[in-house]
Amino acid sequence: MNNIFLALDFPNWEQTRQFLDENNLHGIPVKVGMELFYKEGVSVIENLKDRDHAIFLDLKLHDIPTTVMRAMKNLAALEVDYVNLHALGGGQMIQKAKEGLQSKSASSHHTKLLAVTILTSTDEQRMNKDLRLKGTVEENVVHFAKLANDNGADGVVCSVHEVKKIKQSCNESFLTMTPGIRLRESTSDDQKRIATPAFAKAQGTDAIVIGRSITKSQNPKNAYAQAVEEWENGTSK
Ligand code: C5P
């Protein structure tokens, strides 16, 4: 597994399958988000597992601790590799989520729990004004990463630019999964804190998520290969 998770932000399974088949992207790590999961439900996970994809199920749970715990119990049964929640839900919610993932009725498969700190589409002004969180994005990201670490999460979803600080503040083995990745020629869309796969690797991130840079590319197969090349060798051709 190369730790490059392709964001399958497609409206349904048929278009997802077609994209994967046409571009010969068999068995690569993938991220399933709300759009696809809420359309297809559990069957999309079963289909992807049958095709040997590692799966990050990106549903970003945020609710009262008991509800999140029960939801995580059900998600554990899907035996995906990663699930996530919003650290803004608080320490108790994170603890309960972990408890749900590890409960006896859940399978013995170990699904890792990631916490979203501050979404990579949020800049400081929006964070201060809309969320009324004081300080810089980095200060808040580090705070939420520590909260997640202290309450049993396996890692965080964060920007590439925050990886080093998070590893220092939590510990080296605390996982970082970073979206907001762009290949050099693509636009930034709605992501504010972006970086290339090579830069992400150099910052020490454990895994990256790439969506539109590949799915909207003229040649997705080549774009994916470019991402792999940059991730593995630190440069692209
Ligand atoms: O197309 P793009 O590469 O921007 O896709 C990024 C993916 O990562 C999207 O599916 C988005 O929902 C997700 N994501 C994110 N920021 C986070 C967590 C997840 O962009 N903090």
Side-chain angles (χ1 to χ4, degrees):
M1 183 165 106
N2 61 27
N3 286 343
I4 302 177
F5 286 75
L6 179 66
L8 297 177
D9 294 325
F10 294 105
N12 55 46
W13 169 244
E14 191 43 38
Q15 285 187 39
T16 308
R17 188 197 57 73
Q18 217 175 333
F19 177 85
L20 292 169
D21 285 348
E22 275 170 8
N23 294 291
N24 212 6
L25 294 170
H26 301 296
I28 62 162
V30 292
K31 182 179 84 69
V32 175
M34 297 182 201
E35 182 185 5
L36 187 56
F37 191 78
Y38 291 150
K39 174 69 180 169
E40 303 288 359
V42 167
S43 71
V44 73
I45 302 298
E46 287 162 352
N47 283 331
L48 289 165
K49 287 186 69 169
D50 284 348
R51 294 165 150 244
D52 293 326
H53 293 276
I55 301 169
F56 169 20
L57 183 52
D58 178 21
L59 299 179
K60 300 188 181 72
L61 276 66
H62 186 168
D63 207 322
I64 60 169
T66 305
T67 299
V68 170
M69 190 257 286
R70 290 183 181 162
M72 285 294 180
K73 223 170 176 173
N74 288 344
L75 292 183
L78 301 181
E79 301 192 355
V80 297
D81 299 273
Y82 297 94
V83 292
N84 64 354
L85 44 61
H86 278 286
L88 270 102
Q92 203 198 350
M93 187 197 76
I94 298 169
Q95 263 179 44
K96 284 286 186 186
K98 185 75 179 185
E99 206 180 299
L101 277 183
Q102 292 179 328
S103 59
K104 277 210 188 90
S105 56
S107 77
S108 58
H109 174 91
H110 180 54
T111 300
K112 292 197 169 73
L113 178 64
L114 302 178
V116 173
T117 55
I118 302 291
L119 285 172
T120 46
S121 53
T122 307
D123 58 19
E124 185 171 313
Q125 199 193 359
R126 240 171 231 288
M127 188 194 70
N128 294 157
K129 217 170 144 238
D130 296 0
L131 306 183
R132 298 189 82 184
L133 291 171
K134 292 196 186 108
T136 64
V137 169
E138 187 180 284
E139 283 161 2
N140 280 282
V141 164
V142 168
H143 164 72
F144 286 113
K146 280 189 192 156
L147 185 79
N149 190 26
D150 291 347
N151 286 283
D154 299 286
V156 283
V157 180
C158 66
S159 150
V160 167
H161 306 284
E162 294 137 4
V163 169
K164 281 193 174 159
K165 197 80 205 227
I166 288 170
K167 295 267 183 190
Q168 274 165 18
S169 313
C170 299
N171 58 65
E172 272 302 313
S173 61
F174 191 58
L175 298 171
T176 51
M177 166 87 76
T178 59
I181 304 292
R182 293 290 174 271
L183 297 177
R184 251 177 285 124
E185 65 274 20
S186 19
T187 59
S188 69
D189 300 305
D190 56 351
Q191 296 279 16
K192 300 279 195 289
R193 305 196 298 283
I194 55 171
T196 61
F199 182 75
K201 186 69 178 274
Q203 295 302 299
T205 193
D206 297 283
I208 56 176
V209 173
I210 315 188
R212 288 163 289 184
S213 239
I214 290 168
T215 55
K216 302 275 186 237
S217 154
Q218 301 271 15
N219 187 333
K221 192 179 175 196
N222 283 357
Y224 188 80
Q226 187 189 331
V228 173
E229 169 80 13
E230 277 200 43
W231 177 252
E232 285 176 356
N233 302 322
T235 53
S236 60
K237 281 180 191 149

